């Protein structure tokens, strides 16, 4: 995949704080929206995950705030999955204004949880490959 997966979001007034900039917790909502949009674009649904008895879990998220965002700003939120060995994967995301200014960088560690045993599953990349109609969106 040459370009990272991306979705556009417009900052809404009710998401801003008393300083007038995007509330810090909303950045995670934008990142999560991009992740679920990528899953949907790849052909993976919540029902499909539940039917397989698994669900994605966030284990760690780091946010680096670079520039403020104001109500009405349009941003593109990218999402790139990186696969290693073991039970986890990394998701790198950038929230960028349409003029190219980077507003935030997010790095997360995730995994897939077996909903019955409540344990992480081995080789989450294989599960994504099997569920996706377009695994290339995950770099698989």
């Amino acid at each position: 995949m040459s370009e990272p997966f991306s979705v556009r979001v417009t900052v809404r007034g009710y998401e801003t704080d008393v300083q007038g900039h995007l509330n810090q917790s909303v950045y995670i909502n934008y990142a999560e929206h991009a992740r679920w949009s990528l899953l949907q674009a790849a052909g993976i649904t919540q029902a499909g995950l539940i039917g397989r008895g698994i669900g994605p879990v966030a284990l760690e998220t780091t946010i680096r705030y670079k520039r403020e965002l104001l109500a009405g700003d349009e941003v593109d939120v990218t999402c790139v999955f990186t696969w290693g060995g073991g039970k986890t994967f990394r998701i790198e995301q950038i929230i960028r204004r349409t003029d190219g200014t980077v507003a935030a960088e997010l790095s997360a560690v995730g995994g897939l949880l077996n909903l019955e045993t409540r344990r992480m599953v081995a080789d989450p990349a294989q599960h994504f490959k099997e569920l996706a109609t377009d695994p290339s969106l995950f770099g698989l």
Side-chain angles (χ1 to χ4, degrees):
M1 183 171 66
S2 58
E3 292 291 319
F5 182 85
S6 180
V7 296
R8 182 153 293 171
V9 177
T10 302
V11 176
R12 295 163 288 252
Y14 63 82
E15 297 172 323
T16 60
D17 59 21
V18 70
Q19 287 89 283
H21 59 240
L22 187 65
N23 181 281
Q24 49 107 11
S25 66
V26 179
Y27 288 82
I28 292 176
N29 290 339
Y30 288 4
E32 188 75 5
H33 173 65
R35 293 173 197 168
W36 279 104
S37 294
L38 188 156
L39 288 171
Q40 183 178 17
I44 298 176
T45 64
Q46 284 183 325
L49 290 163
I50 291 168
R52 191 176 186 119
I54 57 175
V57 292
L59 302 170
E60 173 186 310
T61 301
T62 301
I63 306 172
R64 288 171 295 286
Y65 302 99
K66 302 286 192 173
R67 296 284 184 270
E68 69 180 351
L69 292 174
L70 306 173
D73 284 347
E74 286 192 328
V75 296
D76 294 313
V77 185
T78 64
C79 189
V80 176
F81 279 64
T82 304
W83 307 96
K87 298 179 179 182
T88 63
F89 49 85
R90 185 165 290 281
I91 306 169
E92 300 295 335
Q93 296 183 267
I94 296 174
I95 299 175
R96 181 181 283 118
R97 285 194 209 124
T98 55
D99 69 3
T101 303
V102 174
E105 299 169 338
L106 293 90
S107 181
V109 176
L112 290 175
L113 183 70
N114 179 307
L115 299 176
E116 185 178 324
T117 65
R118 310 309 284 181
R119 300 272 187 212
M120 302 295 290
V121 302
D123 197 6
Q126 185 60 38
H127 290 274
F128 280 104
K129 276 185 198 176
E130 292 170 3
L131 282 165
T133 56
D134 186 0
S136 70
L137 291 174
F138 296 105
L140 298 171

